[in-house]
């Protein structure tokens, strides 16, 4: 497949891609807040600078773009046809970095949830996953087992 953009136009387009406050991330943040969950954003002192951090629960949520983080089986995780060696190396580094950050967080006692960009289209499903992952909203603690 031939790129429809000039190399300069492609470079400008890729340089404009945001790393924080993306549309999928904003959707998840709005949903989490509407469910009653309170969180911190992009804590730099945690590996990978998670998108949403729930400090009292020791839980973090990453909202990953399917293209950049290589969502397995997703049509959005396509590889550009030009400079494929560059892209494959870049994507491989991204996946390795994500796995390393997730491992470091788990080793430090944090639970990790990844929500993929394509999953944010179904708000009800994301709400279910967030609630299952985080437990009851607000300051409530989960009930102790009998």
């Amino acid at each position: 497949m031939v790129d429809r953009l000039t190399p300069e136009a492609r470079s400008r387009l890729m340089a404009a891609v945001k790393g924080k406050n993306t549309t999928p991330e904003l959707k998840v943040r709005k949903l989490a807040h509407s469910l009653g969950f309170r969180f911190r954003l992009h804590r730099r002192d945690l590996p990978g600078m998670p998108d949403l951090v729930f400090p009292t629960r020791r839980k973090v949520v990453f909202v990953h773009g399917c293209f950049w983080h290589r969502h397995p089986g997703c049509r959005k995780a396509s590889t550009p046809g030009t400079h494929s060696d560059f892209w494959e190396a870049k994507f491989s580094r991204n996946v390795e970095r994500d796995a390393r950050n997730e491992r470091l967080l788990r080793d430090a006692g944090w639970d990790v949830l990844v929500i993929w960009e394509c999953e944010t289209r179904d708000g009800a499903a994301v709400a279910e996953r967030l609630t299952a992952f985080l437990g009851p909203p607000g300051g409530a603690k989960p009930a102790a087992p009998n």
Side-chain angles (χ1 to χ4, degrees):
M1 177 182 221
V2 177
D3 196 348
R4 291 175 282 156
L5 299 175
T6 66
E8 295 79 21
R10 174 66 59 201
S11 180
R12 277 194 311 277
L13 180 72
M14 294 309 228
V17 174
K18 301 187 303 182
K20 292 192 285 191
N21 304 320
T22 62
T23 300
E25 182 187 332
L26 293 175
K27 285 182 183 179
V28 173
R29 283 165 39 182
K30 183 176 182 178
L31 185 58
H33 194 272
S34 72
L35 291 169
F37 296 111
R38 300 301 176 255
F39 47 86
R40 298 283 165 248
L41 300 175
H42 310 119
R43 284 219 356 218
R44 299 181 88 149
D45 61 325
L46 293 175
M49 211 167 68
D51 298 310
L52 288 82
V53 180
F54 302 84
T56 58
R57 298 167 190 265
R58 300 278 299 169
K59 296 182 184 236
V60 299
V61 175
F62 287 99
V63 182
H64 282 338
C66 298
F67 177 78
W68 294 106
H69 297 271
R70 311 315 291 163
H71 186 194
C74 181
R75 67 176 183 80
K76 291 185 176 193
S78 63
T79 302
T82 57
H83 305 294
S84 58
D85 291 342
F86 164 81
W87 285 110
E88 287 174 18
K90 173 152 187 63
F91 294 145
S92 178
R93 288 190 310 270
N94 287 354
V95 170
E96 289 170 13
R97 184 191 62 230
D98 291 342
R100 182 179 61 249
N101 288 334
E102 189 171 327
R103 186 178 60 254
L104 290 170
L105 284 162
R106 289 186 194 285
D107 289 348
W110 292 85
D111 291 329
V112 178
L113 174 67
V114 174
I115 297 176
W116 292 97
E117 168 190 10
C118 64
E119 295 172 335
T120 63
R121 282 183 262 136
D122 185 352
V126 173
E128 277 184 39
R129 286 188 66 202
L130 282 171
T131 304
F133 177 66
L134 296 169
K141 300 279 187 232
N146 292 333

